[in-house]
Amino acid sequence: MRDYKLALKVGEIITPFEIIRDGVIAIDENGRIAYVGTSKDFSGESENVIEARDKIAVPGYIDIHIHGAAGVDTMDAKYESLKKLSEFLVSKGVTSFLPTTVTSPLEDIYKALKAIREAMHKGTGYAKILGAHVEGPYFSKERAGAQDVRYLREPKLEEIKYILDEYGDVIIRFTIAPELPGAIDAIRYITRRGILVAMGHTNATYDEAIKAINAGAKLANHIYNGMRVFHHRDPGILGAVLTRDDVYAEIIVDEVHHHNAARKVVIRCKGTDKVALISDSIMATGLADGEYVLGKQKIIIKNGISRLPDGTIAGSTLTLDRAVKNTVENLDVTLKEAIKMASFVPAQILGISHEVGVIREGYIADIAILSKDLSVAMTIVSGEIVFRGNR
């Protein structure tokens, strides 16, 4: 009879490809899942057994687009800020994430990337940093949104090469507007370097977006937001993304960024296998209304909504646990599919779905334990309990 480091006994396991009732997840000394199945079939032992028969076990959420929360931001360029963000995220069921930059002077972005590198090497003890998401400065002025137009620039291949030579060990994702001069060459080069390219803050036409997809871009950055508006004679980048099966979309499912019918269009066109839930959260997430910053710009939070002083929506105060709940309640999506959109799909987009994003034997034990109301009761990262809620 095998002895395990930890055994979780739960009412349901959502893997997320099947639902196992009266389930057990056993974790070995290496922080990997060694058994997934029913309690009836479980024959192992463990001195550390978590009894949570009224709870649901799901894969840990993966946030591939997040700027900050709990009063800290990626652009703080500090290890301590990233650690605090990591600690906050596990309380929301997030087990790994991509700290995301914002359009700023290049030197400020470099400082942020250095801090991310430090945090990846040291570890944070909470949610894992998978790598950096460079959002900006290669964006369209017409669709800048909350990106600071003072620091927007066109992508020069030599500049891109320098960035990847210096920080290619840190950057896992790069978002760019494909219609800019030099963007297609940049997308080809970034893709050849093994880095995910997303299209965002873009005024691209349909044809320009198709060229970017053919050059290697595979993700729509917070779909609808910061994008050319769809028209039946000018479908733009939205038309390309919604009709190309080889492109993923990420979406912010809060009460602000879109009408729910618009979100349903994305899900019906792409299917839940191609849509990832993100937070796009900023430093004010988890805090009271007031004034904060995003990059070098002032942000005003009122009634939990984040805006620039001119009223432009600026990121969000959403968390992924809330995004899952909103998706289930408002978008005609089952809990199993919503969990997949917050775990497996992000892992698949990043090319790591062979290790995380699924509760499966041999996979890393990144797991969230949910109460029936979908709040987070416990979070486990690499087999270690890093968060316990009050329920």
Side-chain angles (χ1 to χ4, degrees), residues 100-334:
T100 299
T101 63
V102 69
T103 297
S104 303
L106 285 179
E107 284 303 319
D108 289 353
I109 294 173
Y110 298 159
K111 289 175 184 176
L113 293 173
K114 289 174 184 176
I116 294 168
R117 177 186 283 147
E118 179 186 359
M120 291 174 70
H121 287 169
K122 284 184 177 179
T124 64
Y126 299 99
K128 292 173 288 190
I129 297 175
L130 299 173
H133 168 200
V134 177
E135 189 187 24
Y138 307 113
F139 289 152
S140 157
K141 289 184 179 179
E142 294 88 349
R143 303 294 173 183
Q147 301 286 328
D148 197 329
V149 295
R150 295 174 296 175
Y151 305 113
L152 294 177
R153 55 202 292 139
E154 294 177 357
K156 306 292 186 185
L157 199 53
E158 285 306 312
E159 187 170 277
I160 298 291
K161 287 180 178 178
Y162 172 81
I163 292 171
L164 297 192
D165 285 346
E166 292 294 316
Y167 304 104
D169 60 319
V170 178
I171 299 169
I172 195 171
R173 171 182 171 182
F174 216 115
T175 299
I176 192 167
E179 75 276 14
L180 298 179
I184 299 301
D185 287 342
I187 290 168
R188 287 197 186 97
Y189 179 75
I190 296 167
T191 300
R192 284 201 301 269
R193 294 287 294 263
I195 294 168
L196 167 70
V197 176
M199 302 174 290
H201 290 281
T202 168
N203 203 36
T205 64
Y206 175 87
D207 290 338
E208 289 167 335
I210 291 295
K211 287 180 182 177
I213 295 166
N214 291 340
K218 63 179 286 190
L219 176 64
N221 193 66
H222 48 48
I223 195 164
Y224 290 123
N225 302 111
M227 285 187 174
R228 188 185 190 95
V229 176
F230 179 91
H231 186 279
H232 59 279
R233 286 191 294 273
D234 177 18
I237 184 172
L238 279 167
V241 170
L242 294 178
T243 57
R244 281 285 292 253
D245 292 339
D246 54 346
V247 180
Y248 292 86
E250 62 175 30
I251 192 164
I252 307 165
V253 184
D254 58 6
E255 290 79 29
V256 181
H257 278 77
H258 333 93
H259 193 287
N260 283 325
R263 294 167 176 156
K264 290 179 182 180
V265 168
V266 173
I267 292 171
R268 291 193 182 192
C269 287
K270 304 301 296 178
T272 55
D273 289 337
K274 293 288 185 177
V275 181
L277 301 180
I278 61 164
S279 70
D280 194 21
S281 73
I282 66 164
M283 68 184 331
T285 302
L287 302 178
D289 285 358
E291 292 188 3
Y292 299 89
V293 294
L294 180 63
K296 293 183 178 295
Q297 299 191 96
K298 181 169 78 171
I299 301 295
I300 299 170
I301 308 296
K302 185 176 181 181
N303 300 322
I305 300 172
S306 172
R307 299 184 187 273
L308 296 179
D310 67 4
T312 301
I313 294 174
S316 83
T317 58
L318 182 68
T319 55
L320 275 194
D321 59 333
R322 185 68 220 182
V324 167
K325 189 176 178 70
N326 289 345
T327 300
V328 173
E329 291 180 348
N330 301 320
L331 302 184
D332 302 326
V333 172
T334 66

